[in-house]
RNA sequence: GCCGGGGUAGCUCAGUAGGUAGAGCAACGGACUGAAAAUCCGUGUGUCGACGGUUCAAUUCCGCCCCCCGGCA
């Protein structure tokens, strides 16, 4: 069976993806797959700007709340779950609308990931402990020995990529580059990519307003509740924007004002990184959310053309 | 009014035994292959509070003035 066509709606945080997605989905008979790396977690609702009940009732959503807050989501799991959701939506006779701001997830879905086996969690914990106790330099030494090419390619201070390279070579005996080689780089689905955009100043203002709202709506209480439920403060989910700052307040390391100010700053910087990422994606078409109707006809045309191809 | 402390990058502050200045944060640009809302990388001209004086040369020394923060009145 041929891969079904995907309509993708990307864009920076707070640009208005949720609302625009609902309008577009209804206009093109689509259901929505979430491609946001924080909305996948259960219990992280306020700070992740998860769609509200009423919104979820309008269009069926997939990949929200698919993992526990103490678990660790990753691009590989995302691709697998998204693939299942695409099949389910197609089987229901609906079109697929992928919506989100996580560039890596969208890229991984469209172009696939290198075939690296899943890493044993115990190994990962061991490396994290080593980083904590012996410092990054000791991990770099290990990497230089086991994967010299990777040690050159990965920036010296990049602890996250250093650990990734290490866990792969330790478990599989092959450096990451070995897996990259065998990867076929072409789109796995036909796709139409929309990017939502607003003028920088306007987007920043929306981020500030929304962050204050999240704080007022109980972001701190949400985090305290998660901790009361036994969530480890080191859980990856809590390192995300807003949650990290609320956690610092809960632990008495920061006051409310500092936390909110930092949340706003970091979120604005994040929005910029998102735009940097999406700008270089092939074929992206930028649209102001107010002009969402401009997306409807081209999207329908695209879906129709693709379905004709499939029939032939 | 008097006595201290201070006025240097958007913010917090270093510094220059006189040769026009630099960190952190912010900002701006970029990277990104299973934690990605993560993790990293790059970019520093600013009347050195104002005016005058000394000097080849003053943000730095001297004089005067203005402003901020303490304390005393």
């Amino acid at each position: 069976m041929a891969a079904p066509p995907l309509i993708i709606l990307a864009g920076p945080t707070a640009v208005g993806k949720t609302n625009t997605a609902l309008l577009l989905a209804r206009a093109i008979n689509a259901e929505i797959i979430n491609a946001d790396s924080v909305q996948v977690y259960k219990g992280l609702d306020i700070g992740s700007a998860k769609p509200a009940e009423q919104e979820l009732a309008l269009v069926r959503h997939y990949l929200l709340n698919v993992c526990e807050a103490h678990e660790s989501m990753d691009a590989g799991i995302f691709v697998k779950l998204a693939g299942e959701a695409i099949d389910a939506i197609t089987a229901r006779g609906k079109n697929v609308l992928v919506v989100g701001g996580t560039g890596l997830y969208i890229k991984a879905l469209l172009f696939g990931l290198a075939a690296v086996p899943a890493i044993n969690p115990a190994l990962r914990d061991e490396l994290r402990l080593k980083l904590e106790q012996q410092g990054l330099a000791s991990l770099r030494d290990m990497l230089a020995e086991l994967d010299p090419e990777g040690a050159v390619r990965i920036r010296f201070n990049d602890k996250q990529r250093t650990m990734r390279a290490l866990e792969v070579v330790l478990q599989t005996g092959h450096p990451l580059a070995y897996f990259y080689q065998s990867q076929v780089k072409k789109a796995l689905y036909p796709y139409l990519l929309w990017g939502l955009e607003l003028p920088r100043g306007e987007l920043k203002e929306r981020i500030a307003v929304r962050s204050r709202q999240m704080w007022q709506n109980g972001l701190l209480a949400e985090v305290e509740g998660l901790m009361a439920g036994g969530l480890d403060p080191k859980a990856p989910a809590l390192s995300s924007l807003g949650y990290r700052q609320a956690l610092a307040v809960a632990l008495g390391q920061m006051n409310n004002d500092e936390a909110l100010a930092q949340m706003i700053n970091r979120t604005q910087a994040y929005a910029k990184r998102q735009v940097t990422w999406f700008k270089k994606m092939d074929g992206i078409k930028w649209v102001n959310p107010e002009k969402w109707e401009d997306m409807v006809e081209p999207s329908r045309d695209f879906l129709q053309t693709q379905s004709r191809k499939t029939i032939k």
Side-chain angles (χ1 to χ4, degrees):
Chain A
M1 183 179 143
L6 309 182
I7 306 286
I8 312 210
L9 187 59
T13 187
V15 78
K17 290 188 295 293
T18 300
N19 188 48
T20 307
L22 290 170
L23 296 166
L24 182 59
R26 293 204 284 179
I28 63 174
N29 188 33
E31 294 181 340
I32 292 172
I33 295 179
N34 163 249
D36 178 297
S37 62
V38 182
Q39 291 183 3
V40 294
Y41 289 107
K42 284 179 199 165
L44 278 71
D45 301 332
I46 298 170
S48 71
K50 211 174 275 175
E53 292 276 325
Q54 314 87 275
E55 292 173 315
L56 295 177
L58 295 173
V59 176
R60 188 178 284 234
H61 283 65
Y62 298 77
L63 269 72
L64 290 173
N65 307 314
V66 289
C67 84
E68 303 293 334
H70 63 83
E71 293 175 331
S72 173
M73 185 66 178
D74 66 48
I77 302 170
F78 171 81
V79 169
K80 177 172 168 285
L81 295 177
E84 291 168 7
I86 289 169
D87 291 345
I89 294 171
T90 308
R92 288 164 51 79
K94 298 275 191 174
N95 294 309
V96 179
L97 179 60
V98 178
V99 180
T102 303
L104 176 62
Y105 284 11
I106 293 173
K107 184 184 172 191
L109 176 63
L110 292 178
F111 298 96
L113 288 164
V116 180
I119 302 299
N120 181 348
L123 172 60
R124 191 168 278 180
D125 291 345
E126 200 180 304
L127 285 172
R128 269 181 224 185
L129 195 66
K130 192 173 165 73
L131 173 68
E132 219 170 283
Q133 294 181 340
Q134 297 174 37
L136 180 57
S138 72
L139 294 189
R140 292 296 312 196
D141 290 346
M142 256 171 101
L143 187 65
E145 193 177 321
L146 298 171
D147 178 3
E149 184 274 338
V152 171
R153 178 169 45 85
I154 295 165
R155 298 268 191 185
F156 188 83
N157 288 326
D158 194 336
K159 33 192 182 284
Q160 194 149 301
R161 290 190 177 81
T162 297
M163 287 212 284
R164 172 62 180 161
L166 268 178
E167 68 186 21
V168 170
V169 73
L170 281 170
Q171 176 166 319
T172 70
H174 295 293
L176 260 178
Y178 166 86
F179 296 97
Y180 294 163
Q181 275 170 18
S182 51
Q183 188 182 10
V184 185
K185 282 205 169 172
K186 73 182 246 260
L188 304 171
Y189 300 87
Y191 68 89
L192 179 60
L193 176 60
W194 297 107
L196 289 182
E197 67 171 351
L198 283 172
R200 175 76 66 88
E202 201 177 319
L203 185 64
K204 281 189 164 189
E205 184 52 30
R206 286 178 61 111
I207 288 169
V209 167
R210 193 177 74 166
S211 298
R212 280 184 218 112
Q213 260 164 20
M214 287 173 170
W215 211 261
Q216 278 163 17
N217 292 346
L219 177 56
L220 180 57
E222 187 171 273
V223 170
E224 286 167 344
L226 288 165
M227 288 170 73
L231 181 61
D232 184 344
K234 285 181 188 158
L238 288 183
S239 68
S240 54
L241 287 165
Y243 289 96
R244 178 179 290 198
Q245 287 78 26
L247 179 66
V249 173
L251 296 176
Q253 297 162 347
M254 219 185 255
N255 69 41
N256 272 280
D257 290 348
E258 288 167 339
L260 179 57
Q262 189 184 90
M263 174 181 174
I264 292 171
N265 271 330
R266 299 292 303 268
T267 305
Q268 291 171 341
Y270 168 57
K272 203 159 55 181
R273 271 180 273 138
Q274 287 177 296
V275 172
T276 298
W277 180 290
F278 292 126
K279 259 197 310 207
K280 66 169 193 189
M281 287 196 78
D282 272 350
I284 187 161
K285 293 182 173 60
W286 294 98
V287 176
N288 186 302
E290 279 178 22
K291 302 207 175 139
W292 68 273
E293 285 170 313
D294 292 354
M295 295 187 286
V296 175
E297 275 314 307
S299 298
R300 283 181 182 150
D301 289 349
F302 170 76
L303 291 168
Q304 231 164 45
T305 311
Q306 291 303 323
S307 69
R308 264 200 298 275
K309 275 189 199 165
T310 312
I311 290 162
K312 273 178 191 173

